[in-house]
Amino acid sequence: MVRGARQSQQPRSRLAPRLSGTVEKPPRKRKSRFLKQLLSDTGDEEILKRSLSPPGVFVISGDRWTEFTLKETMSSGGAEDDIPQGERKTVTDFCYLLDKSKQLFNGLRDLPQYGQKQWQSYFGRTFDVYTKLWKFQQQHRQVLDNRYGLKRWQIGEIASKIGQLYYHYYLRTSETSYLNEAFSFYSAIRQRSYYSQVNKEDRPELVVKKLRYYARFIVVCLLLNKMDVVKDLVKELSDEIEDYTHRFNTEDQVEWNLVLQEVAAFIEADPVMVLNDDNTIVITSNRLAETGAPLLEQGMIVGQLSLADALIIGNCNNQVKFSELTVDMFRMLQALEREPMNLASQMNKPGIQEPADKPTRRENPHKYLLYKPTFSQLYTFLAASFKELPANSVLLIYLSATGVFPTGRSDGEGPYDFGGVLTNSNRDIINGDAIHKRNQSQKEMHCLHPGDLYPFTRKPLFIIVDSSNSVAYKNFTNLFGQPLVCLLSPTAYPKALQDQSQRGSLFTLFLNNPLMAFLFVSGLSSMRRGLWEKCQEYLRKINRDIAQLLTHSRSIDQAFLQFFGDEFLRLLLTRKLEITQNPIHNCQGMRPWRTLTFRSTFWNWPPFWMFETSSLRILWMTIKTLLFKSLSFSTDFKWCSFLM
């Protein structure tokens, strides 16, 4: 996951650096520009380019050794000649490491934004310098306090940069273990109150750094599902913003308040809460666990393809987002990751764990997160992923975007005649959900048409389209005979569910958490933990039986089985088949690729083909019985009749 290609025509703001990990959106308003650039690292050094150097210390950038002159007393009250040579060298070495670390850190934004090979050596050097800097300030804290005047917020700044390094490394590798390392350093800053004295100084730029630290910490906690910590951080951030705006009367008060509103809406996006007996909320994870995907029976003949790269694209209007990560993108991101594990650090004693240059096994597929990319940006990342895709690997493309519909009637039925999904442009959206062209004789150019993806079908391709015009991809042609599957969302929803689109698509929610999605359409907003776990166990059994039906069927096309060897794709396929009608029988007589369309209504769930075996029928009736017991205490009895 890396940010999009840099647009040289867009000037960068010093006070509002952009977010690493997403495509830069062409700014239209100051508000969106502020939020788009909030969590980056590229503006802080300009704000405080002189604050890290004590009086009398002059740091020369580049490869030359750091020089300093003691024109004044270094906080100890003695003359320059009274400073021992050893302490003088300690301060010099610290300034050199500090300057070198800033140079390398700022150079991260100049690395290629796509590709997986060019950046590794640079990251290695950066981690090496920060390792030395962190250990150096620990070993020589007293000298740096007395002679350099090292302040606690400066130590916090070093720790924050290390946390950002781990977060950047997670974006580059998609390995969730490094999120725990970022959390370790961010948590240490909070526990040790490194930024506690910032508010006592009359310097608004220091307070902004503290606010940005909170925003970055919140993003890491969201990705780790630490919602209890997120709520505490949001409260602290709200208090800090109130104090900041009251003291300095700044112009960015509206933007910071919008940050609070966005993260609050993001936390409340899940439509169903799991409760303990004491009504406390249970935090559930939707990442792939060891028992998450249905296991393959011994002797099952499936393909050996593995998911290597994934492009997660979000371009829905008015959907809840935070830090250029929409709810749909967040849910699909977690569906393609395993549960994270700690590397070696402890939360209260952070230490730098340098990433291995060549991991023995990639736990998660590499991902690009593209928020409202332009067509050229999207195509650039597609081409880069396609180029570096290893042998026997799959490229997944997830499109969560507003539909672009053709105007008028077309004489042809080609890949550019049915519209597609929206890509970003420098103009405002018209009429909300759909884009209509002024010139009906021309195709919409700010649109990803099905034909635009044809060149990439030369390698195995797995496409998920969640859009109001997903049917445009229904007749997707496989020109090169490689494995190809398209999972398509419905184009219409029941009226009662249409007003909930801002909280994320129901189709993506089914792929991410089928039980929560089913409870949502059933009218439930909460469920007890014990009942939740029982239903999850039954769904796992259903997934296992679905996998057996697919692998034992003689009529299912081999394209499905080619993808069935990968755990992530196997889980997506079984979850998709939970909510679609008889794919086995529908596949008869079709071409050697498959498009599974999620029906436009949910009232036929589960499909009748699941009842072809008595075990599935019993499992489903058991789940309905459990849910009915829960619903029997609800005042909305129409959902009870639907279930039974």
Side-chain angles (χ1 to χ4, degrees), residues 268-333:
E268 298 173 356
D270 284 346
V272 178
M273 295 182 297
V274 183
L275 303 177
N276 284 315
D277 293 335
D278 57 356
N279 289 331
T280 57
I281 299 178
V282 179
I283 305 301
T284 59
S285 176
N286 297 316
R287 286 189 170 94
L288 180 63
E290 292 184 1
T291 59
L295 298 177
L296 295 176
E297 291 182 345
Q298 187 174 3
M300 279 188 179
I301 301 177
V302 296
Q304 300 300 316
L305 298 175
S306 62
L307 180 60
D309 263 43
L311 272 76
I312 301 177
I313 300 159
N315 194 12
C316 286
N317 300 327
N318 303 321
Q319 190 175 107
V320 171
K321 71 175 186 68
F322 181 66
S323 175
E324 296 195 348
L325 188 69
T326 66
V327 173
D328 283 350
M329 295 171 66
F330 176 74
R331 287 171 177 166
M332 185 53 59
L333 169 70

Side-chain angles (χ1 to χ4, degrees), residues 25 261-263 265-266 269 312-332 371-372 398-402 432-433 466-468 493 499-509:
K25 175 185 175 183
Q261 295 174 13
E262 284 195 350
V263 68
F266 202 93
I312 301 177
I313 300 159
N315 194 12
C316 286
N317 300 327
N318 303 321
Q319 190 175 107
V320 171
K321 71 175 186 68
F322 181 66
S323 175
E324 296 195 348
L325 188 69
T326 66
V327 173
D328 283 350
M329 295 171 66
F330 176 74
R331 287 171 177 166
M332 185 53 59
Y371 175 69
K372 293 193 173 183
Y398 170 77
L399 300 170
S400 172
T402 301
D433 189 56
D466 192 345
S467 173
S468 56
Y493 291 88
D499 297 335
Q500 303 295 324
S501 58
Q502 291 186 350
R503 301 172 66 179
S505 166
L506 188 56
F507 176 65
T508 297
L509 182 59

Side-chain angles (χ1 to χ4, degrees), residues 561-575:
L561 301 181
Q562 289 293 320
F563 295 109
F564 227 64
D566 182 88
E567 287 183 296
F568 294 105
L569 300 181
R570 183 163 70 249
L571 186 59
L572 289 175
L573 283 171
T574 53
R575 286 176 174 176

